[in-house]
Amino acid sequence: DAKTTQPPSMDCAEGRAANLPCNHSTISGNEYVYWYRQIHSQGPQYIIHGLKNNETNEMASLIITEDRKSSTLILPHATLRDTAVYYCIVRVAFSQGAQKLVFGQGTRLTINP
Amino acid sequence: EAQVTQNPRYLITVTGKKLTVTCSQNMNHEYMSWYRQDPGLGLRQIYYSMNVEVTDKGDVPEGYKVSRKEKRNFPLILESPSPNQTSLYFCASRYLTGNTEAFFGQGTRLTVV
């Protein structure tokens, strides 16, 4: 399974862009990078995913390096409600197409007023 | 609204008293799974199901049972709960194929005394 490495915690000022890094140096060519977040003890919430191109949606942008060994999740204008634990996950495929999400420890992002 | 619904949200029970945590999704997803979340250990998969009547063990299946008699429901059964099963539990669902996201329930906080 490809492993991911994230900083345990980060701070960001409200209204600024939050840039969350993730290393996944052992990622395979057909593995996607997914980002989820967990606010307090709620269920994890999907943010975005990508394979090799940069991706953007209404929540965030995902920048994947050309060698795919790392990526950055960008929250363009962070708000207090973005305070959460952010998980970078490489999707593991196994047995007949079933895929599981392997959660690491994530990055605890705190948005400060 | 697309959602995964777990019940109950909170439960305190005694050792050995059988209990069931229900999970229901309204998105016609084939794949459903259960996770437990413990401090320092992150989210770990307990069981998963790729479709009706198809279930398989995840990473930490001991002490748990599941069933998938209908596509929308995936209950988690603890036949004889023990204190080490005190945890926060999440149900998740997604389509089996394609690169879509998983939807998580709001969680069930279980305490076994």
Side-chain angles (χ1 to χ4, degrees), chain A residues 9-50:
Chain A
S9 64
M10 293 183 64
D11 285 88
C12 180
E14 188 178 18
R16 306 297 293 269
N19 297 280
L20 291 90
C22 179
N23 286 322
H24 31 78
S25 58
T26 60
I27 192 170
S28 299
N30 60 350
E31 288 181 319
Y32 284 71
V33 179
Y34 280 73
W35 283 83
Y36 283 75
R37 73 180 182 184
Q38 187 174 25
I39 297 173
H40 195 47
S41 293
Q42 298 177 22
Q45 175 191 24
Y46 166 81
I47 302 172
I48 199 168
H49 74 278

Side-chain angles (χ1 to χ4, degrees), chain A residues 5-13 17-22 35 71-75 78 82-86 105-112:
Chain A
T5 304
Q6 300 176 253
S9 64
M10 293 183 64
D11 285 88
C12 180
N19 297 280
L20 291 90
C22 179
W35 283 83
S71 60
T72 301
L73 177 74
I74 302 172
L75 308 177
D82 292 321
T83 293
V85 178
Y86 287 76
Q105 296 303 309
T107 295
R108 183 172 297 277
L109 175 67
T110 302
I111 306 300
N112 300 306

Side-chain angles (χ1 to χ4, degrees), chain B residues 11-105:
Chain B
L11 179 60
I12 301 174
T13 190
V14 296
T15 299
K17 185 177 181 182
K18 180 179 178 180
L19 66 92
T20 299
V21 183
T22 64
C23 174
S24 180
Q25 49 93 7
N26 63 358
M27 295 164 279
N28 203 35
H29 287 161
E30 299 92 355
Y31 187 92
M32 297 185 74
S33 61
W34 277 100
Y35 288 82
R36 63 178 288 175
Q37 185 172 30
D38 303 288
L41 297 175
L43 284 108
R44 295 176 292 168
Q45 192 182 57
I46 303 170
Y47 266 95
Y48 66 94
S49 168
M50 289 196 283
N51 218 322
V52 176
E53 303 292 359
V54 180
T55 64
D56 211 342
K57 297 177 180 178
D59 298 317
V60 287
E62 294 77 23
Y64 304 95
K65 287 174 57 178
V66 291
S67 70
R68 189 89 182 273
K69 294 184 171 58
E70 306 164 284
K71 198 171 187 178
R72 64 182 293 126
N73 296 322
F74 189 47
L76 179 70
I77 303 155
L78 285 73
E79 294 269 2
S80 183
S82 62
N84 64 11
Q85 293 178 296
T86 292
S87 186
L88 180 57
Y89 291 86
F90 292 103
C91 178
S93 74
R94 66 183 299 277
Y95 291 113
L96 183 60
T97 57
N99 301 311
T100 58
E101 71 266 32
F103 290 78
F104 284 80

Side-chain angles (χ1 to χ4, degrees), chain A residues 4 28 39 45 51-52 67-68 72 90 92:
Chain A
T4 62
S28 299
I39 297 173
Q45 175 191 24
L51 181 63
K52 38 176 102 167
D67 63 8
R68 304 214 318 126
T72 301
V90 172
V92 178

